[in-house]
Amino acid sequence: MKKIYLFLFAYLCCSMAFAQKLSIESIMQDPKNSIGSLPSNIFWSEDSKTIYFNWNPDKNKADSLYGLLVSDKKIFKVSPSVRRGLPAAFGVYSKDRSKKVFTRNGDIFLMDTQTQAVRQITNTLEYESDAEFSGKEDKIIFTKANNLFSFNLSNGEIVQLSNFIAGAKRPDAKQSEQDKWLKQDQLSMFEILKERADKKKEGEKVSKADLPKRPKEFYLDEKRIDNLVLSPDGNYITFRLVKSATGSKSTIVPNYVTESGFTEDIPARTKVGAPAASYEYFVYQIAKDTILSIPTKGIEGIYDQPAYLKDYAVKKDTSKAKKPEARMVLMSGPVWSEDSKYAVTVARSTDNKDRWILKFDPITLKFETIDRQHDEAWIGGPNIGFGTGSLGFLADQKTLYFQSEADGYSHIYTVDLSNNQKKQLTKGKFEVQSLQLSKDKNFFYITTNEVHPGEQHFYKMSVAGGERTRLTKLAGSNQVVLSPDETKLAYLHSESTKPWELYLQDNSPTATQLTQSTSEHFKAYKWRDPQVLTIKARDGEDIYARYYEGKGAKGKKPAVIFVHGAGYLQNAHKWWSQYFREYMFHNFLVDNGYDVLDIDYRGSAGYGRDWRTGIYRFMGGKDLTDHVDAAKWLVEKHGVDAKKIGIYGGSYGGFMTLMALFTTPDTFKAGAALRPVTDWAAYNHPYTANILNEPQKDSIAYRRSSPIYHAAGLKNRLLICHGMVDVNVHFQDVVRLSQRLIELKKENWELAAYPMEDHGFVEPTSWMDEYKRIFKLFEEELKK
């Protein structure tokens, strides 16, 4: 009994100590201990009676699968044997949703959604994928070994629908003139050779005549095939050929701490501007047994050139000016109407400045523009990215729905393909962030941030538009998964001070919390609810921010500004931040006398097109002046000492910290740049080319946006922290910057290297070491 009392006393002392004062060790320990194991990855059983989700309340090494019976709200742990037998959460439904086809471990399964009985269709060593129902739903169409197959549900017959042959050239491929001459010379000289050749041809002709009809052979040579789509009526197969780029050089990340004791190389990505893959598009007209190339040069605006090229224009004799080349496009789809009357494809220029929604005729091979979204910066926004995005047909099979940023925000539109009449269904200074069509195709279920940019709510709206019914009421974020019968909502909900928990409600606004996941350690501290407010930028725009106010004498308080990563990401919101360690660290800073500010600068997500593209051709431009304006706001409105402001952040936040210290050194007294990009020409292509174009074509943008070119401006103290096996922002970035700072004879900087960490740190000891260094920097520089 005495031992129990001692244990309880020690536990209460620890809890009280945690409640009274945070430490970096307590913040940066394993999140399962500091916060708790939070639920994630919700999916429903097909009968809408059970919710499944990942959870780990027992603090195992990995998450486990749990279930909850809707009838009694009881949570149970799913055994490994039952888990392995569950159908995949994703798949394709029949029109009446009575059947579902899905793939698991490379095999195809068919499920009766009423009885939940599962039938295995294939059991092979080869990998089957992309399973869906045929137009008449009497067959399952799937891909195997780069070809389309059908499985007849009534008799089990498997039919190969295409005959794409990888890694080989056509037997009758074009011969050189020398080869042709030698062959003809041999046949004319030797009678026996000629006789044998004639017999062989005759035998092949007879054998071919005896064979059953097969799909047309198509040789891929060195190319690969993808995006195979069969029309619902089974008459057409469209596909894309991809030719890998030649001359692309991949980077290598050395790994120094290894089991072998030797340095090992980790293969990594190419750099922005590397030669890119090329694409060709084809349609197989099955009835004619003909494969035809689909031309893209007739697409409206395909020859338009980006405006930034004018900065590099050289005066030339216009009479001899060369016509611009057609830009390359990446085609996705087509998406077919169920009656096969309409095929719609989405084309995106590889410079990402145009996105076309096109009506495609598989007979004439012609395109008709339904919608063109052009942006001199780059096309983006929720549900508009790569692929087809949110796009499909309504019940009448002639009305297409899609999302576009045409008015500056990602909204829902429809177009009647019989007359090309377009209609905008949602409108306002908010984004539609998710879109789902109801099973009867009469309603949309959507998530928007219309209540506040820092809140996400779930709505139901008629496909004709009009009033939206808000189904979630709890402030913060609500990540909803609708039950298959559409009568219930299971969702993860969080608020600024409350991590994610699982909730359930009927298709109405009343919710029930199902999980309690936070640890006693977490609950023992009174976490601050940061103010979500706006700050006026110098150009009059509103910057949304999270503000943590500390105690201190007016005019003497130190402050720290945190810069979120990724660029296109949102953190000034009212839900539990993915930067949970930083959130706890900010509470720790306030405990130690600092004000803390975290802003959604230009380029951040959640605020529409103009905010998203405000950094085009100049990262470290408006995004940095937003931070300078925020620092000024701290001084003028909250009594912060202008000479005691620090800045820190990781990845894009690390880049911004470097730009701040290099180009606005009078604003920030100290900075910690974590895993920073130091030269954008060394980063990846998909992200960087959107914002800065390609370095060999737009060197101006790269020069003004890359910190390494501005390092001479460093005046105040800089801490750099970087993982040495970072395959995203390579350690080479800070090595090059270090050499630059050495050559510039700068002495007020230091580099902390983490030999076993990638871009996102994993080990608690690494997090602790990093944040102790950050805190020490601010204590020494901002409290002098």
Side-chain angles (χ1 to χ4, degrees), residues 48 85 112 145 180 185 203 230 257 278 283 315 321 402 438 472 521 601 610 626 639 652 698:
S48 301
D112 184 313
K180 288 180 183 178
D185 185 60
L230 176 69
V257 183
S278 59
V283 60
K315 290 185 178 180
F402 62 96
S438 66
T472 53
H521 250 15
Y601 51 86
D610 290 346
D626 286 346
Y652 198 97
D698 197 358

Side-chain angles (χ1 to χ4, degrees), residues 128-178:
E128 290 95 20
S129 62
D130 304 321
E132 60 182 359
F133 292 101
S134 63
K136 294 180 180 179
E137 299 192 334
D138 57 341
K139 301 180 180 69
I140 293 173
I141 309 299
F142 62 94
T143 302
K144 179 172 70 173
N146 294 319
N147 278 293
L148 279 180
F149 293 78
S150 70
F151 174 87
N152 192 305
L153 290 169
S154 62
N155 59 24
E157 180 187 23
I158 293 178
V159 176
Q160 185 168 338
L161 305 176
S162 65
N163 191 13
F164 302 118
I165 303 171
K169 293 186 177 182
R170 292 179 59 87
D172 58 348
K174 188 175 181 181
Q175 293 179 311
S176 68
E177 292 300 318
Q178 181 189 27

Side-chain angles (χ1 to χ4, degrees), residues 653-665:
F655 150 74
M656 284 297 300
T657 299
L658 293 178
M659 291 296 277
L661 265 63
F662 293 171
T663 67
T664 58

Side-chain angles (χ1 to χ4, degrees), residues 363-414:
I363 299 175
T364 65
L365 310 183
K366 291 183 178 180
F367 293 110
E368 180 184 348
T369 302
I370 302 303
D371 180 80
R372 178 189 178 189
Q373 187 181 335
H374 174 77
D375 198 316
E376 279 301 334
W378 74 96
I379 301 294
N383 304 318
I384 303 172
F386 291 99
T388 59
S390 292
L391 181 144
F393 283 91
L394 298 183
D396 63 6
Q397 295 305 309
K398 66 174 184 174
T399 303
L400 186 79
Y401 67 87
F402 62 96
Q403 282 185 238
S404 170
E405 274 189 330
D407 73 349
Y409 292 83
S410 183
H411 282 299
I412 306 171
Y413 295 77
T414 58

Side-chain angles (χ1 to χ4, degrees), residues 511-577:
T512 302
Q513 183 174 336
L514 302 175
T515 58
Q516 296 282 350
S517 305
T518 50
S519 66
E520 293 303 318
H521 250 15
F522 183 84
K523 287 185 279 191
Y525 183 82
K526 186 176 174 61
W527 298 100
R528 292 170 178 85
D529 190 356
Q531 300 175 53
V532 179
L533 43 77
T534 59
I535 300 168
K536 280 292 179 187
R538 62 190 62 186
D539 60 0
E541 295 292 331
D542 286 329
I543 307 166
Y544 279 82
R546 268 187 168 202
Y547 175 54
Y548 307 73
E549 187 167 14
K551 295 179 180 179
K554 189 173 178 64
K556 295 183 179 180
K557 288 195 295 182
V560 171
I561 294 179
F562 169 66
V563 189
H564 71 67
Y568 190 64
L569 182 144
Q570 186 178 5
N571 202 45
H573 51 60
K574 299 180 182 180
W575 62 85
W576 185 246
S577 175

Side-chain angles (χ1 to χ4, degrees), residues 40-45 48 50-53 89-90 434 436 445 447 458 472 478-492 502-505:
S40 61
N41 303 324
I42 301 170
F43 65 97
W44 284 87
S45 63
S48 301
T50 307
I51 303 168
Y52 294 101
F53 58 99
F90 300 99
S434 74
Q436 177 182 345
Y445 291 100
T447 300
F458 195 66
T472 53
N478 303 282
Q479 299 181 0
V480 177
V481 180
L482 193 64
S483 64
D485 63 7
E486 299 182 4
T487 63
K488 304 173 188 69
L489 314 179
Y491 58 95
L492 296 174
L502 178 63
Y503 285 72
L504 173 67
Q505 69 181 66

Side-chain angles (χ1 to χ4, degrees), residues 287-407:
K288 295 181 179 180
D289 199 27
T290 301
I291 296 176
L292 299 172
S293 174
I294 302 172
T296 60
K297 292 184 178 181
I299 296 175
E300 172 192 347
I302 197 69
Y303 291 95
D304 294 351
Q305 298 300 300
Y308 78 86
L309 293 176
K310 294 176 183 176
D311 287 352
Y312 303 93
V314 179
K315 290 185 178 180
K316 295 180 180 179
D317 182 353
T318 55
S319 63
K320 298 179 181 178
K322 186 180 178 182
K323 184 180 178 182
E325 292 185 1
R327 288 178 292 160
M328 188 177 295
V329 297
L330 182 61
M331 204 87 71
S332 299
V335 175
W336 289 86
S337 59
E338 291 176 2
D339 57 9
S340 295
K341 184 175 181 180
Y342 297 109
V344 174
T345 188
V346 175
R348 186 182 179 115
S349 59
T350 53
D351 63 13
N352 292 328
K353 301 192 187 299
D354 277 284
R355 175 182 183 251
W356 297 270
I357 298 177
L358 304 165
K359 194 189 302 182
F360 172 62
D361 187 327
I363 299 175
T364 65
L365 310 183
K366 291 183 178 180
F367 293 110
E368 180 184 348
T369 302
I370 302 303
D371 180 80
R372 178 189 178 189
Q373 187 181 335
H374 174 77
D375 198 316
E376 279 301 334
W378 74 96
I379 301 294
N383 304 318
I384 303 172
F386 291 99
T388 59
S390 292
L391 181 144
F393 283 91
L394 298 183
D396 63 6
Q397 295 305 309
K398 66 174 184 174
T399 303
L400 186 79
Y401 67 87
F402 62 96
Q403 282 185 238
S404 170
E405 274 189 330
D407 73 349

